[in-house]
Amino acid sequence: DQQVKQNSPSLSVQEGRISILNCDYTNSMFDYFLWYKKYPAEGPTFLISISSIKDKNEDGRFTVFLNKSAKHLSLHIVPSQPGDSAVYFCAASAQESGGSNYKLTFGKGTLLTVNP
Amino acid sequence: GAGVSQSPRYKVAKRGQDVALRCDPISGHVSLFWYQQALGQGPEFLTYFQNEAQLDKSGLPSDRFFAERPEGSVSTLKIQRTQQEDSAVYLCASRQGRWSPLHFGNGTRLTVT
């Protein structure tokens, strides 16, 4: 049973346009969400995160939106650049006993291709 | 070092062999994690250390998997009697504090033939 779902395996956009990557989750205990970016043969690299007490977090060209009622989050990249081409993973965590969020549950990823 | 370092990068093992995968976390990072990433999937949690204490090993698939971090720095993931379904990329990550993001290494790609 997948608790974090990225239903689009791939997405292709033109350079300069907006990329929107989506993620749905089922576990209502998740209270912290992250996006990671992964290039081939490298480990995932942290991009941006959001706590469940917020509905938006912005960092430069990257904005994450959280809709708790719909259990949905999205990552917006504006403007998209060819160097953004990578696999993007959505991840979520819940407070474990002891109060620490440490166990990330990942989606399967979305391959973003930004065409020049 | 600047990042999490894992070795070897690639490992081919015959079924039934034992393997040991090494992780050097970022200096000063208290928390260390192991994840397993099968082809076409996202990383899946295996185990978590805080310093030398293994606080959660609920993700280890079987008792053939064993992880240690005896001095609270370098960690080793050992897989005994490897099987084909163990083929995956094994990712190590570390973080500085409770709300810090995980920093991943480049992983060890294990292929069991």
Side-chain angles (χ1 to χ4, degrees):
Chain A
D1 177 33
Q2 269 217 298
Q3 297 187 65
V4 177
K5 299 178 186 178
Q6 294 178 257
N7 292 320
S8 298
S10 63
L11 175 69
S12 183
V13 299
Q14 284 300 120
E15 181 178 4
R17 306 294 292 269
I18 184 171
S19 295
I20 300 176
L21 296 105
N22 293 303
C23 177
D24 297 293
Y25 62 95
T26 57
N27 187 343
S28 57
M29 299 302 291
F30 287 148
D31 61 0
Y32 191 59
F33 305 88
L34 307 91
W35 285 93
Y36 279 82
K37 172 180 174 180
K38 186 181 181 305
Y39 293 119
E42 294 185 10
T45 303
F46 170 73
L47 204 52
I48 192 168
S49 63
I50 187 166
S51 163
S52 60
I53 62 173
K54 295 186 173 182
D55 54 19
K56 176 182 173 181
N57 189 25
E58 192 171 350
D59 183 1
R61 296 185 298 113
F62 303 92
T63 303
V64 56
F65 295 92
L66 175 63
N67 181 335
K68 288 188 291 294
S69 60
K71 294 193 178 68
H72 176 84
L73 64 157
S74 61
L75 174 68
H76 292 210
I77 307 174
V78 179
S80 302
Q81 299 173 354
D84 296 330
S85 297
V87 176
Y88 288 77
F89 289 100
C90 172
S93 69
Q95 279 205 15
E96 304 288 335
S97 58
S100 173
N101 285 52
Y102 62 83
K103 188 185 297 184
L104 293 183
T105 301
F106 284 83
K108 290 187 176 183
T110 296
L111 174 62
L112 173 66
T113 304
V114 180
N115 301 302
Chain B
V4 177
S5 177
Q6 292 188 246
S7 61
R9 284 299 312 272
Y10 303 93
K11 177 69 180 178
V12 179
K14 286 189 176 1
R15 190 172 57 181
Q17 280 185 330
D18 298 348
V19 298
L21 312 180
R22 178 188 167 103
C23 173
D24 279 274
I26 293 172
S27 177
H29 280 196
V30 167
S31 301
L32 184 145
F33 307 80
W34 284 97
Y35 281 77
Q36 179 192 58
Q37 185 175 16
L39 192 64
Q41 305 293 317
E44 291 194 2
F45 172 83
L46 293 178
T47 187
Y48 160 54
F49 289 86
Q50 189 163 309
N51 295 306
E52 69 278 4
Q54 189 175 21
L55 298 187
D56 188 337
K57 55 181 181 179
S58 63
L60 296 176
S62 75
D63 59 8
R64 296 186 296 103
F65 286 70
F66 173 76
E68 60 183 4
R69 194 186 185 200
E71 296 176 0
S73 177
V74 170
S75 177
T76 304
L77 176 66
K78 297 179 180 177
I79 310 173
Q80 297 177 322
R81 304 181 304 281
T82 52
Q83 300 177 7
Q84 281 193 310
E85 61 261 31
D86 300 336
S87 296
V89 175
Y90 290 85
L91 294 163
C92 177
S94 68
R95 74 176 182 188
Q96 189 170 28
R98 177 177 162 179
W99 293 108
S100 302
L102 268 61
H103 296 267
F104 284 88
N106 288 333
T108 294
R109 179 176 294 279
L110 173 65
T111 303
V112 182
T113 61

